[in-house]
Amino acid sequence: MTEIQTPHCNELLSDQDGDYRTADGKKRSMAGSFPTISFYRQFAWNVYRSSRVARQGKYGNQRWSETSFEVMQSLESVGIRFEVTGLRHVKDLTTPCVFVGNHMSMLETIVLPAIIQPIRDVTFVVKQSLMDYPVFRHILRTRNPIAVSRDHPREDFKRVMTEGAERLAQGISIVVFPQTTRSDSFDPDSLNSIGVKLAARAKVPVVPIALQTDAWGNGKWFKDLGPIDPHKKVRFAFGEPIAIEGRGDRQHQAVIDFITSKLDRWNAGT
């Protein structure tokens, strides 16, 4: 895979050695008294403004990163604290990659662009229903994601392999959440190997992402818009790039081991 250089906006997270943490002195606003209502009011305005720009054909990579970062700031304003580690692994890459992570909530889909896109071009494998959301669809379609139905596994697999390889050849990294559904807990058996298989086909590395994002809960009636809990910390940990060899079985297990070890440490409070 030949490295493809593309212009990026300035990094939005002021990190130290590849890490970012919400500043200790950062105080939540009065909005923190009603975190869910306050956050979604800010989020709705953000999505509306972004959708309007997207319909005008002006929603590029930098705007995507910035509006994603605004969501992150909105979460911090109601008391959510972030911890992002291992960004140096993303910065040190010389080729695109396949990011493979566990999937807890809507938060990672919304916030990861603020973390990754300023460093390298990226898009997502997403469920088709997100492409059909009112207002939000205008934003997502500008990002050229890979949409899958979740109802036809064989067709979904072919689409990810074909379109994913095309994006990677263009220098665009891919974020894949291979679990069948979002879950507050991680079942290793639910993480299929589609990300590793895509990386093997495109001859690019896999970068594991362990994440803990249940501060943005799954909704009872509308799954994507659940309660916001400022008592829970949001964590993202990026692992070292993994080169795929052979069938990729060992590398797939290495991704699982990375995610499991991080979640075990976080859940143990370390």
Side-chain angles (χ1 to χ4, degrees), residues 33 37 43 64 73 81 89 166 183 194 203 207 234 241 266:
S33 301
I37 294 173
F43 181 63
W64 188 36
Q73 291 179 309
R81 301 181 65 79
H89 300 311
E166 291 173 355
S183 176
I194 192 169
K203 296 181 173 55
V207 173
V234 171
W266 293 338

Side-chain angles (χ1 to χ4, degrees), residues 22 34 39 55 70 79 97 154 161 167 172 179 224 232 262 268:
T22 301
F34 304 95
F39 167 72
R55 290 197 300 270
E70 287 172 8
C97 71
R154 288 187 179 181
M161 290 296 107
R167 305 292 194 282
I172 302 171
Q179 289 175 268
D224 292 327
K232 295 181 177 180
K262 289 295 183 180

Side-chain angles (χ1 to χ4, degrees), residues 35-46:
T36 299
I37 294 173
S38 299
F39 167 72
Y40 281 119
R41 183 173 58 188
Q42 296 179 64
F43 181 63
W45 176 238
N46 185 315

Side-chain angles (χ1 to χ4, degrees), residues 53 69 72 108 141 188-189 211 214 250:
V53 173
F69 184 59
M72 190 172 173
E108 51 263 30
R141 288 174 181 176
D189 292 335
L211 57 88
D214 54 338
R250 289 190 299 106

Side-chain angles (χ1 to χ4, degrees), residues 83-149:
E83 177 183 282
V84 182
T85 59
L87 273 177
R88 64 188 181 278
H89 300 311
V90 182
K91 296 176 183 178
D92 290 344
L93 284 167
T94 58
T95 69
C97 71
V98 178
F99 295 98
V100 178
N102 57 309
H103 199 12
M104 277 194 176
S105 74
M106 184 73 164
L107 189 151
E108 51 263 30
T109 306
I110 302 296
V111 167
L112 274 174
I115 300 171
I116 300 173
Q117 178 60 49
I119 303 171
R120 60 179 47 255
D121 292 333
V122 69
T123 192
F124 288 74
V125 175
V126 301
K127 59 184 180 180
Q128 180 61 46
S129 59
L130 283 177
M131 301 287 286
D132 300 326
Y133 276 13
V135 185
F136 188 70
R137 66 186 178 210
H138 301 294
I139 302 167
L140 194 55
R141 288 174 181 176
T142 69
R143 302 296 88 216
N144 200 20
I146 302 167
V148 295
S149 67

